[in-house]
Amino acid sequence: MQPMKTLIKFIILFIFSINVLSAQNTNSSKSPSLLYGNVFNQDGENLIGATIVWDGTTIATVTDLNGDFWLPKMDTTAFLEISYVGYDAVYIEMFPHEDTAFIKIEGVTELQTIEVAGQRSDVFTSTLDPINMENISACELKKAACCNLAESFETSGSVDVMKADAVTSTTEILMLGLRGIYSQLLIEKRPAYTGLGYPFALENIPGTWVSGIQVSKGASTVQNGPQSITGQINIELVKPWQDKPLFVNLFGSTTERGEANLHWNKNWTEKMSTGVILHGSTTRGEFDKNGDTFLDQQTKQSLNGLFRSFYRTDNFSTQLNLQVINDEREGGQIMPQNQPDPATYYRSKLQNKRVDLFGKFGYFGFDRPATSIGFIYNASWQDMDNVFGQNIHTGDQKRLYANLLFSTCLATTTHTLNLGTSIEYDDYDEFLNMADFSRKEVMPGAYAEYVYNSPGSGFGVIAGVRADHHNNFGTFATPRVNVKYNFTENSIVRLSAGRGVRSAQVLAENLPILATNTEVEVLEKLKMEDAWNLGLNFTQSFNLFGRSASFVADLYRTDFNNQIIVDMESQLTPNADLQPRREELCKQHVVAR
């Protein structure tokens, strides 16, 4: 608790000192009216971290995660200078009566339109964001033969992907040397595939659905919950107005694996868009190249569909999404056609069904500049029926998630305050053979986050804290802070520190263990996993042989106050409380400590 108390004091003192310094440099008279703008590229993608400055002054800002910016208006005609990594600086003339600027990077040069000669790197790390974030664009994803999200990370140096085992064929990411359960997976800022959905999460997102990936290392924002320990991975899906009206993608291999993707999109009006994305995959080849009577790969049949509907105006936007998944896999020993007793052969069968209803609502028509309110929601149902030889694992998860966000500027857009409240509800009916692992988890929480970013000084900070109450584990606080300093436009150092806590799902997160016919024992009532992450990052961007390049050095340390360990080596010893049967003592056990 002592490190957490120290960090909380640091955050409070830091925010107080920043506001005092700001107050000393702010005229006591009424703040000037602000210019609102948005910067995006030819594909409609918002540009994050673009620098906006009034030419000949030190009045500047950067675009936020939505590509938006706010600047005090000038009393006379002046030029805006727009700078972005990979592009030459350009200028645009603004008149005193104008209060809005939508800036598109490409096209014919005209008022509030900019033509830029250059190209952004497909994988880049911003030198302006306080959070150490790697951005992977859709162009980079096309370089890999990716048919799902797991294969999309083949060209990323921040994330490693590994196969958990050959029986379940599940894939898992590794970040900062730890399993993917310690990094938070987000789909458009929404925590996704938690609990029973974790084992096949990466395969439930086809590669053609992805428009971009943001990988944040270390302590990140507190807005999405307390579960992130080593970082966050946010997946942006293709939007109907950005995607092709009709897109068909087919894939096949000599291992009798086939996949098909179909995208249909329609822009009904300038404000309303609809999209339907379908994915189907099958693996039918039954191979045993090494002659051990076991299949070298699982046979698989999967259907995955997503319906998307958007409505956008100048003051608000809303979306509704419905995703349905049905996935079936079989593996194990190859049974002869004349085998009279199939029970003597080892077989595995995994059946997963899932329905997700999720969406967003955002309103930004307030009179106060840089002020907006948003609401993110998700209702999901997951059904799992797994058979591994003699082990039978069944589970049913009903989940509700809601997050209410409010953002506004303090005095100027250099200072931003984010406030919000969220709730997570999970109802599990889970069984392993005759053992009952059913439970209910309810966790409401609230958070506050302060953002300071001054491009002129090169200094920036994101400091936040959230408090959550878990119905089984009580109340806890998770503070996080990210600080950056730019030595130059292309040279940056970042420091981060923060706490993360999560409720472990022992069976779903260790599904490959069940495939070994190992007996599972939980020796005591499990607590929340609790860890602190400290990080240091240095990034240097430069040109190499006429192309953009960067040097990145990361140093991160994760200290666990409490961690659940799966012990595959030890055997249970006689204990009166556990009352073990004598004949079971020779069996191997999985011990959760």
Side-chain angles (χ1 to χ4, degrees):
M1 293 299 292
Q2 188 62 34
M4 183 185 70
K5 293 180 180 179
T6 303
L7 185 55
I8 292 175
K9 293 178 180 179
F10 170 77
I11 294 173
I12 294 174
L13 290 174
F14 187 85
I15 294 176
F16 176 78
S17 63
I18 291 294
N19 280 285
V20 169
L21 291 174
S22 174
Q24 293 175 349
N25 292 291
T26 302
N27 194 298
S28 59
S29 62
K30 184 178 178 180
S31 298
S33 57
L34 297 180
L35 168 71
Y36 164 75
N38 178 267
V39 181
F40 56 96
N41 64 10
Q42 69 278 4
D43 297 322
E45 299 172 336
N46 296 322
L47 297 183
I48 305 169
T51 302
I52 316 296
V53 59
W54 287 114
D55 186 35
T57 74
T58 59
I59 303 174
T61 187
V62 295
T63 54
D64 60 17
L65 294 177
N66 297 316
D68 297 330
F69 70 88
W70 289 263
L71 269 180
K73 293 175 60 176
M74 304 298 286
D75 296 332
T76 60
T77 301
F79 283 87
L80 272 181
E81 178 184 351
I82 298 94
S83 302
Y84 193 72
V85 176
Y87 294 92
D88 294 331
V90 292
Y91 298 84
I92 181 171
E93 186 177 16
M94 297 296 299
F95 298 99
H97 66 275
E98 294 179 304
D99 55 13
T100 304
F102 292 95
I103 304 171
K104 180 180 179 181
I105 305 271
E106 190 181 63
V108 180
T109 302
E110 59 184 20
L111 183 62
Q112 300 178 359
T113 303
I114 301 172
E115 182 179 3
V116 177
Q119 184 177 2
R120 185 181 65 181
S121 174
D122 296 335
V123 179
F124 67 94
T125 300
S126 172
T127 56
L128 297 172
D129 197 331
I131 295 179
N132 183 15
M133 180 185 298
E134 179 185 61
N135 294 270
I136 304 173
S137 71
C139 294
E140 178 67 18
L141 299 178
K142 295 176 183 177
K143 297 178 182 179
C146 58
C147 296
N148 57 54
L149 182 60
E151 294 160 313
S152 298
F153 286 114
E154 289 181 356
T155 59
S156 172
S158 299
V159 177
D160 295 321
V161 180
M162 59 173 288
K163 281 282 186 181
D165 70 310
V167 177
T168 62
S169 295
T170 57
T171 54
E172 185 176 26
I173 61 174
L174 299 176
M175 184 184 292
L176 303 186
L178 292 173
R179 292 184 57 192
I181 57 177
Y182 299 113
S183 57
Q184 190 177 31
L185 179 64
L186 307 171
I187 306 295
E188 296 183 339
K189 306 300 182 182
R190 166 185 59 93
Y193 299 107
T194 61
L196 301 184
Y198 173 77
F200 301 102
L202 299 183
E203 299 181 47
N204 287 337
I205 308 174
T208 62
W209 295 19
V210 180
S211 66
I213 303 174
Q214 296 90 46
V215 180
S216 304
K217 289 181 274 189
S220 50
T221 177
V222 297
Q223 297 183 28
N224 304 308
Q227 293 89 349
S228 171
I229 293 177
T230 58
Q232 293 178 340
I233 299 177
N234 180 59
I235 312 300
E236 290 292 335
L237 304 180
V238 292
K239 310 297 191 296
W241 64 90
Q242 298 173 344
D243 201 8
K244 296 178 176 63
L246 181 63
F247 172 78
V248 179
N249 171 264
L250 301 175
F251 170 84
S253 72
T254 56
T255 59
E256 297 187 31
R257 173 186 174 184
E259 300 198 7
N261 295 279
L262 173 65
H263 298 203
W264 176 85
N265 300 283
K266 178 68 175 179
N267 294 321
W268 304 102
T269 66
E270 292 183 357
K271 299 179 180 179
M272 186 172 183
S273 304
T274 299
V276 176
I277 314 176
L278 302 176
H279 168 84
S281 63
T282 180
T283 303
R284 307 185 64 85
E286 297 186 359
F287 301 108
D288 179 23
K289 297 297 185 181
N290 57 7
D292 62 356
T293 74
F294 280 81
L295 292 175
D296 296 339
Q297 65 177 10
Q298 281 189 325
T299 60
K300 172 187 174 183
Q301 291 183 346
S302 180
L303 294 174
N304 194 344
L306 174 64
F307 168 81
R308 314 201 76 189
S309 180
F310 291 79
Y311 186 80
R312 301 170 295 148
T313 71
D314 293 337
N315 291 329
F316 77 93
S317 64
T318 183
Q319 61 170 276
L320 177 68
N321 304 267
L322 177 64
Q323 184 179 12
V324 180
I325 301 173
N326 184 70
D327 186 277
E328 298 182 3
R329 305 165 187 241
E330 291 191 51
Q333 282 184 285
I334 301 175
M335 295 187 296
Q337 296 293 331
N338 58 352
Q339 173 56 239
D341 185 12
T344 60
Y345 280 73
Y346 180 89
R347 297 290 293 179
S348 66
K349 186 173 183 179
L350 296 83
Q351 295 180 313
N352 287 275
K353 299 177 181 179
R354 183 179 180 91
V355 178
D356 265 297
L357 178 68
F358 60 96
K360 295 180 181 180
F361 174 84
Y363 179 76
F364 32 88
F366 295 95
D367 293 335
R368 182 179 179 83
T371 300
S372 62
I373 188 170
F375 181 67
I376 303 174
Y377 60 90
N378 182 201
S380 64
W381 169 75
Q382 172 96 29
D383 182 74
M384 176 181 288
D385 290 295
N386 302 323
V387 177
F388 304 101
Q390 301 301 313
N391 275 339
I392 299 177
H393 174 233
T394 61
D396 181 279
Q397 178 187 1
K398 302 177 183 66
R399 174 175 171 81
L400 295 174
Y401 170 82
N403 190 3
L404 181 64
L405 310 93
F406 175 76
S407 178
T408 188
C409 64
L410 302 175
T412 68
T413 54
T414 302
H415 306 271
T416 305
L417 179 64
N418 300 316
L419 303 173
T421 181
S422 64
I423 185 169
E424 298 183 47
Y425 171 85
D426 292 283
D427 185 1
Y428 296 91
D429 288 320
E430 189 175 15
F431 295 85
L432 176 60
N433 299 324
M434 298 301 293
D436 188 353
F437 288 83
S438 301
R439 61 208 178 275
K440 289 185 179 180
E441 299 187 15
V442 183
M443 188 174 66
Y447 57 87
E449 186 175 70
Y450 169 78
V451 181
Y452 173 80
N453 205 339
S454 176
S457 67
F459 182 73
V461 63
I462 299 178
V465 63
R466 64 177 296 132
D468 296 271
H469 177 80
H470 196 285
N471 62 314
N472 297 326
F473 305 107
T475 303
F476 48 88
T478 50
R480 294 173 187 171
V481 61
N482 292 267
V483 180
K484 68 98 177 180
Y485 181 75
N486 284 85
F487 298 101
T488 66
E489 182 180 353
N490 297 319
S491 180
I492 184 174
V493 63
R494 297 180 179 92
L495 296 171
S496 66
R499 183 191 186 195
V501 295
R502 60 180 302 274
S503 174
Q505 313 301 320
V506 176
L507 297 183
E509 294 170 359
N510 299 282
L511 202 61
I513 294 176
L514 304 184
T516 64
N517 271 340
T518 298
E519 186 175 346
V520 177
E521 293 281 352
V522 180
L523 295 185
E524 57 185 83
K525 185 177 180 180
L526 302 179
K527 302 177 182 178
M528 294 278 276
E529 291 193 292
D530 183 356
W532 286 83
N533 183 279
L534 304 176
L536 172 65
N537 162 262
F538 174 76
T539 301
Q540 177 68 52
S541 300
F542 55 93
N543 290 324
L544 182 64
F545 304 117
R547 300 178 64 91
S548 298
S550 62
F551 171 80
V552 179
D554 291 327
L555 178 62
Y556 287 89
R557 176 184 175 89
T558 304
D559 290 308
F560 281 89
N561 298 322
N562 187 64
Q563 184 180 18
I564 295 175
I565 302 297
V566 177
D567 188 352
M568 291 289 295
E569 304 298 330
S570 66
Q571 294 180 345
L572 290 178
T573 55
N575 186 299
D577 295 332
L578 298 175
Q579 297 180 352
R581 295 191 299 254
R582 182 178 300 275
E583 61 270 21
E584 290 180 335
L585 294 179
C586 61
K587 295 181 179 180
Q588 186 181 26
H589 292 69
V590 176
V591 181
R593 301 183 186 274

